[in-house]
Amino acid sequence: MPIPLPADTSYHIAKRSLDSDYVMPTLEASSDYYEVGYFLSGDRLSITPSCSYILGAGMVGTMPPFLYHRTIPLSSAPYNTYLIKFKPAFVHPLTDAFGLNILEEIFSQLYNCFSPSSGARILRYFQEMYELSLSDSPHRDFRLQCMLCDLLLAILDNRLPAEDKTTAGSPTAPIIHRTPLTPPIIDAIYYMEQHFQENPSLETVALLSGYSASHFSRLFHAQLGIPYSEYLTKIRIRHAQDLLLNTKKSVTEIALETGYLHTGNLSEQFKQQTGMTPLQYRKTNTHSKH
């Protein structure tokens, strides 16, 4: 459980620089504050009971209290963010004007993308608030309160719909869980994300989760809607997609890096998942960037 904000503090603003391989050691959920953060660099997979999603540069992540989650790195890019934590009382002008449900509406979308112009405006909010938080201005707290209320409304008004974040089959497409995940299944997914290169068996992950293989298999399928093996394949293909688009490694190198002993096995599963061979995927999506 994260450390609560001190009783005499209603907000905290930081610019964080963490190692690219930083991982959360356990499930966490705040008890008394909301979080909103702007990703400057780094790609992180966040796993919650309701969904799994990826946050990257230019995106804003929101996290309400009491929502357990874990994050894991997906690339070697530096992990840099602006992070704002605040208690509900700090934004009372917002809730007084629009009701308490306004926070629920803003924080109902955990991953937020913006058009280039709106994204630049959102980034300026975070930059200016961070700089102001370091000042000794006698009006600092009041100005930050006003700016935070405006930032939250700007996020709500300018974010793209969640379904516009990605296209089907994209490596960053959010996964909506069939039923809310229990902590052991979240921990199992976390382990799979960290060890997918080793092609971990169902029996290995079941043992780590404290279940028999048969019981774990039933739980996993019931909560995620697909079998363990299929979910592991999706993880490996997603990492292969990332390597195809962001490195010049050969398909053979990528196959070995994602846990495939033979290039043909990667190509076969890759085409089943995306409808294209690895080289077709690289060519098509590399051209679309230009």
Side-chain angles (χ1 to χ4, degrees), residues 54-67:
I54 294 173
L55 290 168
M59 295 182 65
V60 170
T62 62
M63 188 60 62
F66 304 109
L67 180 60

PDB file of all heavy atoms in Angstrom, residues 54-67:
ATOM      1  N   ILE A  54      -1.388   0.047 -21.830  1.00  0.00           N
ATOM      2  CA  ILE A  54      -0.029   0.562 -21.944  1.00  0.00           C
ATOM      3  C   ILE A  54      -0.052   2.082 -21.964  1.00  0.00           C
ATOM      4  O   ILE A  54      -0.861   2.703 -22.649  1.00  0.00           O
ATOM      5  CB  ILE A  54       0.645   0.021 -23.222  1.00  0.00           C
ATOM      6  CG1 ILE A  54       0.842  -1.493 -23.097  1.00  0.00           C
ATOM      7  CG2 ILE A  54       1.988   0.704 -23.469  1.00  0.00           C
ATOM      8  CD1 ILE A  54       1.336  -2.160 -24.366  1.00  0.00           C
ATOM      9  N   LEU A  55       0.841   2.675 -21.184  1.00  0.00           N
ATOM     10  CA  LEU A  55       1.035   4.117 -21.169  1.00  0.00           C
ATOM     11  C   LEU A  55       2.407   4.421 -21.741  1.00  0.00           C
ATOM     12  O   LEU A  55       3.390   3.751 -21.416  1.00  0.00           O
ATOM     13  CB  LEU A  55       0.933   4.662 -19.745  1.00  0.00           C
ATOM     14  CG  LEU A  55      -0.451   4.643 -19.099  1.00  0.00           C
ATOM     15  CD1 LEU A  55      -0.349   4.921 -17.609  1.00  0.00           C
ATOM     16  CD2 LEU A  55      -1.359   5.677 -19.762  1.00  0.00           C
ATOM     17  N   GLY A  56       2.478   5.435 -22.608  1.00  0.00           N
ATOM     18  CA  GLY A  56       3.743   5.820 -23.206  1.00  0.00           C
ATOM     19  C   GLY A  56       3.838   7.322 -23.333  1.00  0.00           C
ATOM     20  O   GLY A  56       2.971   8.072 -22.873  1.00  0.00           O
ATOM     21  N   ALA A  57       4.908   7.776 -23.968  1.00  0.00           N
ATOM     22  CA  ALA A  57       5.189   9.207 -24.088  1.00  0.00           C
ATOM     23  C   ALA A  57       3.996   9.966 -24.663  1.00  0.00           C
ATOM     24  O   ALA A  57       3.384   9.548 -25.644  1.00  0.00           O
ATOM     25  CB  ALA A  57       6.414   9.419 -24.960  1.00  0.00           C
ATOM     26  N   GLY A  58       3.663  11.093 -24.025  1.00  0.00           N
ATOM     27  CA  GLY A  58       2.570  11.936 -24.485  1.00  0.00           C
ATOM     28  C   GLY A  58       1.212  11.561 -23.929  1.00  0.00           C
ATOM     29  O   GLY A  58       0.228  12.268 -24.175  1.00  0.00           O
ATOM     30  N   MET A  59       1.144  10.488 -23.169  1.00  0.00           N
ATOM     31  CA  MET A  59      -0.132  10.057 -22.605  1.00  0.00           C
ATOM     32  C   MET A  59      -0.256  10.493 -21.151  1.00  0.00           C
ATOM     33  O   MET A  59       0.741  10.762 -20.471  1.00  0.00           O
ATOM     34  CB  MET A  59      -0.273   8.532 -22.694  1.00  0.00           C
ATOM     35  CG  MET A  59      -0.340   7.997 -24.096  1.00  0.00           C
ATOM     36  SD  MET A  59      -0.562   6.193 -24.133  1.00  0.00           S
ATOM     37  CE  MET A  59      -2.196   6.031 -23.395  1.00  0.00           C
ATOM     38  N   VAL A  60      -1.485  10.571 -20.684  1.00  0.00           N
ATOM     39  CA  VAL A  60      -1.774  10.886 -19.290  1.00  0.00           C
ATOM     40  C   VAL A  60      -2.452   9.683 -18.646  1.00  0.00           C
ATOM     41  O   VAL A  60      -3.441   9.165 -19.179  1.00  0.00           O
ATOM     42  CB  VAL A  60      -2.681  12.128 -19.171  1.00  0.00           C
ATOM     43  CG1 VAL A  60      -3.177  12.306 -17.729  1.00  0.00           C
ATOM     44  CG2 VAL A  60      -1.928  13.376 -19.609  1.00  0.00           C
ATOM     45  N   GLY A  61      -1.908   9.242 -17.537  1.00  0.00           N
ATOM     46  CA  GLY A  61      -2.518   8.164 -16.773  1.00  0.00           C
ATOM     47  C   GLY A  61      -3.227   8.716 -15.558  1.00  0.00           C
ATOM     48  O   GLY A  61      -2.758   9.668 -14.931  1.00  0.00           O
ATOM     49  N   THR A  62      -4.380   8.157 -15.244  1.00  0.00           N
ATOM     50  CA  THR A  62      -5.105   8.556 -14.042  1.00  0.00           C
ATOM     51  C   THR A  62      -5.322   7.332 -13.168  1.00  0.00           C
ATOM     52  O   THR A  62      -5.495   6.220 -13.687  1.00  0.00           O
ATOM     53  CB  THR A  62      -6.469   9.195 -14.386  1.00  0.00           C
ATOM     54  OG1 THR A  62      -7.288   8.235 -15.050  1.00  0.00           O
ATOM     55  CG2 THR A  62      -6.289  10.419 -15.263  1.00  0.00           C
ATOM     56  N   MET A  63      -5.309   7.527 -11.861  1.00  0.00           N
ATOM     57  CA  MET A  63      -5.490   6.413 -10.945  1.00  0.00           C
ATOM     58  C   MET A  63      -6.297   6.892  -9.739  1.00  0.00           C
ATOM     59  O   MET A  63      -5.823   7.712  -8.954  1.00  0.00           O
ATOM     60  CB  MET A  63      -4.139   5.867 -10.488  1.00  0.00           C
ATOM     61  CG  MET A  63      -4.222   4.587  -9.671  1.00  0.00           C
ATOM     62  SD  MET A  63      -4.999   3.198 -10.553  1.00  0.00           S
ATOM     63  CE  MET A  63      -3.862   2.976 -11.928  1.00  0.00           C
ATOM     64  N   PRO A  64      -7.531   6.393  -9.577  1.00  0.00           N
ATOM     65  CA  PRO A  64      -8.344   6.777  -8.428  1.00  0.00           C
ATOM     66  C   PRO A  64      -7.927   6.004  -7.184  1.00  0.00           C
ATOM     67  O   PRO A  64      -7.190   5.013  -7.278  1.00  0.00           O
ATOM     68  CB  PRO A  64      -9.759   6.386  -8.863  1.00  0.00           C
ATOM     69  CG  PRO A  64      -9.538   5.210  -9.756  1.00  0.00           C
ATOM     70  CD  PRO A  64      -8.247   5.486 -10.486  1.00  0.00           C
ATOM     71  N   PRO A  65      -8.396   6.403  -6.018  1.00  0.00           N
ATOM     72  CA  PRO A  65      -8.091   5.633  -4.799  1.00  0.00           C
ATOM     73  C   PRO A  65      -8.708   4.234  -4.849  1.00  0.00           C
ATOM     74  O   PRO A  65      -9.682   3.996  -5.560  1.00  0.00           O
ATOM     75  CB  PRO A  65      -8.737   6.467  -3.687  1.00  0.00           C
ATOM     76  CG  PRO A  65      -8.959   7.816  -4.272  1.00  0.00           C
ATOM     77  CD  PRO A  65      -9.185   7.599  -5.727  1.00  0.00           C
ATOM     78  N   PHE A  66      -8.085   3.320  -4.116  1.00  0.00           N
ATOM     79  CA  PHE A  66      -8.609   1.965  -3.882  1.00  0.00           C
ATOM     80  C   PHE A  66      -8.620   1.084  -5.130  1.00  0.00           C
ATOM     81  O   PHE A  66      -9.258   0.040  -5.132  1.00  0.00           O
ATOM     82  CB  PHE A  66     -10.009   2.009  -3.264  1.00  0.00           C
ATOM     83  CG  PHE A  66     -10.076   2.791  -1.986  1.00  0.00           C
ATOM     84  CD1 PHE A  66     -10.728   4.022  -1.940  1.00  0.00           C
ATOM     85  CD2 PHE A  66      -9.476   2.319  -0.833  1.00  0.00           C
ATOM     86  CE1 PHE A  66     -10.786   4.753  -0.764  1.00  0.00           C
ATOM     87  CE2 PHE A  66      -9.523   3.044   0.353  1.00  0.00           C
ATOM     88  CZ  PHE A  66     -10.185   4.260   0.390  1.00  0.00           C
ATOM     89  N   LEU A  67      -7.922   1.488  -6.192  1.00  0.00           N
ATOM     90  CA  LEU A  67      -7.827   0.634  -7.373  1.00  0.00           C
ATOM     91  C   LEU A  67      -6.451  -0.036  -7.361  1.00  0.00           C
ATOM     92  O   LEU A  67      -5.433   0.603  -7.605  1.00  0.00           O
ATOM     93  CB  LEU A  67      -8.003   1.439  -8.656  1.00  0.00           C
ATOM     94  CG  LEU A  67      -7.917   0.615  -9.959  1.00  0.00           C
ATOM     95  CD1 LEU A  67      -8.996  -0.458 -10.000  1.00  0.00           C
ATOM     96  CD2 LEU A  67      -8.024   1.529 -11.179  1.00  0.00           C
TER      97      LEU A  67
END
